Amino acid sequence: MSYNPTDLSTWKKLTEHHTTVEPLHLRDLFREDSQRGERYTLQAAGIELDYSKNRVTDETLNELMGLAREAKLPEAIKAMFEGQVINRSENRPALHIALRNRSNRAINVGGENIMDTVNATLAKMRSFAEAVHSGEFAGHTGKKLRTIVNIGIGGSFLGPKVVSDALKPYWQDGYDLKYIANIDGTDVTEVCKDLDPETTLFIVASKSFGTLETLKNAKAAREWFFQQGGKPEQVRNHFVAVSTNIEAATDFGIDQANMFPMWDWVGGRYSLWSAIGLAQSIVLGFDTFEQLLSGAHTMDEHFRTAGLEHNLPVILGMLGVWYHNFFGAESHAVLTYDEYLKDLPNHLQQVDMESNGKAVTQAGEAVDWQTGPIIWGGTGTNGQHAYHQLLHQGTRLNPADFIMPLQSHNPVADHHQWLFANFLGQQQAMLEGKTEAEVMDELKAKGLGDSEARELAPHKVIPGNRPCNAITFEKATPEVVGALIAMYEHKVFVQGVIWGVNSFDQWGVELGKVLGNSVFEALGNGETDDYDSSTANLIRKFRKANNI
Ligand code: F6P
């Protein structure tokens, strides 16, 4: 069925309303309403969202919620939680919410309650994690497995890595966790360099067990194991797999007993909650992994049941629509004031850009409105000494999320207080900026003459009125980290519904993979006739440099 959000009456109203809001300055909005900070703050699942520093009025929020209703967001949320086929191009539901459905409410797919298989897999993960801890599942010489190496890429790497990094303070004593993802041989070489073959467990995490990088790296790791004296029959002690493809994993030498299932109704970028999280569940301990799932479930329940106006993912998603479709903003920054969350922007890049980087609707019709933004970011305060210049004085509008725990896992002197001061200072600068009059006063107070001050002033003026969200929580506990990631997953879903795209397929990444395979052949046999002159030239150079 044809869908065009720009035809909706609320979209048209918002277009009109934008002309009223565009000239307003956040500075004035705050001055006119002393309660704005409190009024535009929401809590759920241990997370507090202060969205007061956005270029919105009550009317804007009203209209945005109207758009969500007119675009049938409540119906779409219901459809996802009921397990309806919302990933239409692949004819599947999208049920990452089932993986953390701690209420155990039945979710039926094809007449079967999938909670049975979800729970059985979680039980298998728990007993495996416990067997590794106890030494019941040990290396080939009987030593306990202490270093876990996750071999996987994309969603089989980025989300799991955010979880293990974010929850470093909860790691079990005596365990280490490493990741191999890239096809660049440096990745596997550097990781394997320090491994002990007797105490290392490789987890090959690949939904398809067909991803080039993962298969090549798994083979390289197995080769390394053999070079260290390991025997083929000992592969089963050191390699396990998480996959939907049992046949391919068996061919690799992995014991069926040590395979953990995945399902096609879980997208790669939404899979950290599944057995793809096996490595994290070992290093964190299964109870902690379950707390992560519980936090995500609490956010799911909030998303499923809270009214749109009080719904964190809905507010975040609709604010994004406001900026991307009405203000023309092209990117969104995720700025984490928590070293442990440094990889969150990378994970959200995949979640958001692989989900909503689409140019056709669910019905296959070309869109003529903007869809997924560019997601970028990093840790504060490091970013302040780099790209924040553009945030404050650049020509582009870059909405940003500032994320920070109120308490640190590592209190050092007054570091955390300084970190929080910077977290707030940056947001204040985005909001208030610095007017020409303020700059002039400042320069004159420093003793500059009028003409000298006038010459310098334009360089020091900061326009302000740059929108941001403040996302805080007491401490980055497993529950909070689960809720935080789930909140962003749902934000992406909200936007996908408004834009009418399928947020759960990723055909765009397929073409590059296919072409890469054919170039690989050409690098070996030197046949360049079918290529453009640039590709052919670079193929020749590579062959020469590597004596092929
Ligand atoms: O990049 C495409 C993609 O399919 C991602 O969606 C996925 O997370 C990644 O590749 C890895 O896939 P797999 O788990 O099947 O190896």
Side-chain angles (χ1 to χ4, degrees):
M1 205 177 63
S2 262
Y3 170 81
N4 183 338
T6 67
D7 286 343
L8 301 176
S9 66
T10 42
W11 188 287
K12 291 183 177 138
K13 274 198 215 157
L14 279 160
T15 307
E16 180 70 31
H17 176 67
H18 174 253
T19 57
T20 326
V21 173
E22 217 273 334
L24 305 180
H25 199 292
L26 277 168
R27 213 187 278 144
D28 301 319
L29 293 175
F30 270 89
R31 262 161 223 157
E32 284 157 18
D33 175 4
S34 62
Q35 302 300 306
R36 186 177 169 93
E38 288 85 355
R39 286 203 309 114
Y40 289 171
T41 294
L42 287 171
Q43 287 108 0
I47 293 179
E48 182 162 298
L49 166 67
D50 174 346
Y51 58 101
S52 61
K53 290 176 223 117
N54 280 287
R55 293 173 68 174
V56 293
T57 62
D58 288 353
E59 191 184 342
T60 320
L61 292 165
N62 227 353
E63 297 297 350
L64 285 170
M65 296 310 130
L67 173 60
R69 276 188 198 96
E70 202 179 352
K72 300 199 171 17
L73 177 64
E75 289 86 339
I77 296 173
K78 190 163 176 281
M80 175 168 73
F81 279 86
E82 280 176 356
Q84 292 181 32
V85 176
I86 57 172
N87 174 356
R88 296 196 202 127
S89 71
E90 296 180 309
N91 195 30
R92 304 167 181 165
L95 280 170
H96 40 290
I97 52 106
L99 303 168
R100 59 227 189 183
N101 174 15
R102 310 307 292 159
S103 72
N104 211 21
R105 193 164 34 86
I107 299 176
N108 293 308
V109 174
E112 256 178 59
N113 178 9
I114 56 163
M115 289 316 299
D116 295 340
T117 174
V118 167
N119 291 331
T121 304
L122 287 173
K124 184 170 175 174
M125 286 169 73
R126 176 184 280 281
S127 64
F128 186 74
E130 287 173 358
V132 170
H133 292 160
S134 68
E136 189 192 322
F137 187 93
H140 64 287
T141 56
K143 283 194 184 168
K144 280 192 181 180
L145 295 159
R146 291 291 187 183
T147 303
I148 318 299
V149 181
N150 186 87
I151 305 178
I153 196 165
S156 303
F157 162 54
L158 295 163
K161 179 139 193 321
V162 172
V163 168
S164 57
D165 281 2
L167 300 179
K168 195 93 197 271
Y170 298 85
W171 284 26
Q172 301 272 307
D173 284 344
Y175 286 89
D176 196 7
L177 173 53
K178 295 173 185 291
Y179 293 87
I180 303 174
N182 197 344
I183 189 67
D184 184 336
T186 301
D187 204 1
V188 63
T189 305
E190 282 296 327
V191 170
C192 286
K193 221 156 67 179
D194 301 324
L195 298 178
D196 174 353
E198 292 182 76
T199 57
T200 298
L201 174 67
F202 293 97
I203 299 182
V204 188
S206 174
K207 179 178 164 186
S208 58
F209 219 88
T211 303
L212 172 83
E213 292 90 337
T214 303
L215 289 188
K216 289 281 169 194
N217 280 327
K219 282 183 188 151
R222 190 179 54 182
E223 206 39 52
W224 169 87
F225 178 68
F226 292 151
Q227 282 161 10
Q228 307 299 309
K231 303 275 176 295
E233 63 276 16
Q234 293 162 348
V235 166
R236 61 194 302 281
N237 296 79
H238 294 273
F239 286 80
V240 301
V242 183
S243 188
T244 50
N245 191 343
I246 293 172
E247 212 180 313
T250 311
D251 286 350
F252 185 86
I254 292 169
D255 195 335
Q256 281 217 15
N258 303 328
M259 284 181 207
F260 297 81
M262 275 277 285
W263 308 275
D264 66 5
W265 40 259
V266 184
R269 53 199 174 274
Y270 299 94
S271 65
L272 68 93
W273 323 97
S274 70
I276 290 290
L278 183 64
Q280 295 69 48
S281 76
I282 296 170
V283 172
L284 293 169
F286 205 79
D287 290 345
T288 305
F289 187 75
E290 272 186 347
Q291 288 161 13
L292 175 89
L293 301 183
S294 297
H297 177 63
T298 309
M299 182 56 75
D300 292 343
E301 286 302 280
H302 166 75
F303 181 53
R304 187 174 73 84
T305 59
L308 299 183
E309 291 78 2
H310 308 289
N311 199 310
L312 268 65
V314 173
I315 296 283
L316 286 173
M318 295 312 294
L319 286 170
V321 167
W322 178 232
Y323 295 121
H324 303 309
N325 298 102
F326 298 91
F327 279 81
E330 291 178 337
S331 81
H332 186 92
V334 178
L335 310 172
T336 62
Y337 282 66
D338 181 356
E339 196 63 24
Y340 286 131
L341 283 172
K342 65 179 178 308
D343 276 342
L344 185 67
N346 295 345
H347 173 52
L348 295 183
Q349 256 175 3
Q350 191 203 13
V351 171
D352 205 319
M353 294 170 81
E354 199 167 79
S355 296
N356 287 342
K358 311 282 164 66
V360 295
T361 63
Q362 284 267 18
E365 290 168 341
V367 304
D368 68 353
W369 53 92
Q370 289 296 332
T371 62
I374 297 157
I375 303 294
W376 63 282
T379 46
T381 58
N382 304 32
Q384 293 173 204
H385 299 272
Y387 41 75
H388 280 229
Q389 166 62 35
L390 184 143
L391 285 182
H392 296 304
Q393 282 190 312
T395 52
R396 296 169 197 281
L397 183 74
N398 284 284
D401 291 349
F402 285 76
I403 303 173
M404 182 164 173
L406 299 177
Q407 285 173 29
S408 172
H409 280 296
N410 298 299
V412 174
D414 53 4
H415 277 50
H416 200 61
Q417 203 167 321
W418 273 117
L419 188 62
F420 198 64
N422 276 276
F423 170 80
L424 288 181
Q426 288 296 312
Q427 293 173 56
Q428 258 190 309
M430 286 185 76
L431 186 169
E432 295 271 352
K434 201 188 253 189
T435 62
E436 195 183 355
E438 285 166 346
V439 173
M440 284 297 285
D441 286 350
E442 201 179 275
L443 292 175
K444 284 185 179 167
K446 279 189 183 158
L448 268 75
D450 192 62
S451 77
E452 221 182 340
R454 263 185 211 298
E455 210 176 303
L456 192 52
H459 301 280
K460 301 193 102 184
V461 169
I462 315 269
N465 212 17
R466 309 258 157 133
C468 64
N469 292 306
I471 295 167
T472 53
F473 33 88
E474 204 71 12
K475 207 165 187 167
T477 61
E479 287 90 347
V480 161
V481 171
L484 184 68
I485 298 173
M487 178 182 80
Y488 276 107
E489 290 178 349
H490 295 320
K491 172 202 164 176
V492 169
F493 177 72
V494 167
Q495 296 186 334
V497 170
I498 305 299
W499 294 325
V501 300
N502 179 358
S503 301
F504 299 106
D505 62 10
Q506 61 284 314
W507 299 103
V509 297
E510 296 305 321
L511 177 64
K513 288 188 196 171
V514 173
L515 295 181
N517 290 343
S518 102
V519 171
F520 183 83
E521 294 296 314
L523 289 172
N525 62 29
E527 282 171 19
T528 58
D529 293 355
D530 292 344
Y531 291 99
D532 60 84
S533 57
S534 165
T535 309
N537 193 21
L538 289 164
I539 288 175
R540 282 191 290 274
K541 284 197 173 144
F542 183 86
R543 284 172 58 83
K544 192 164 169 228
N546 291 282
N547 296 319
I548 302 175

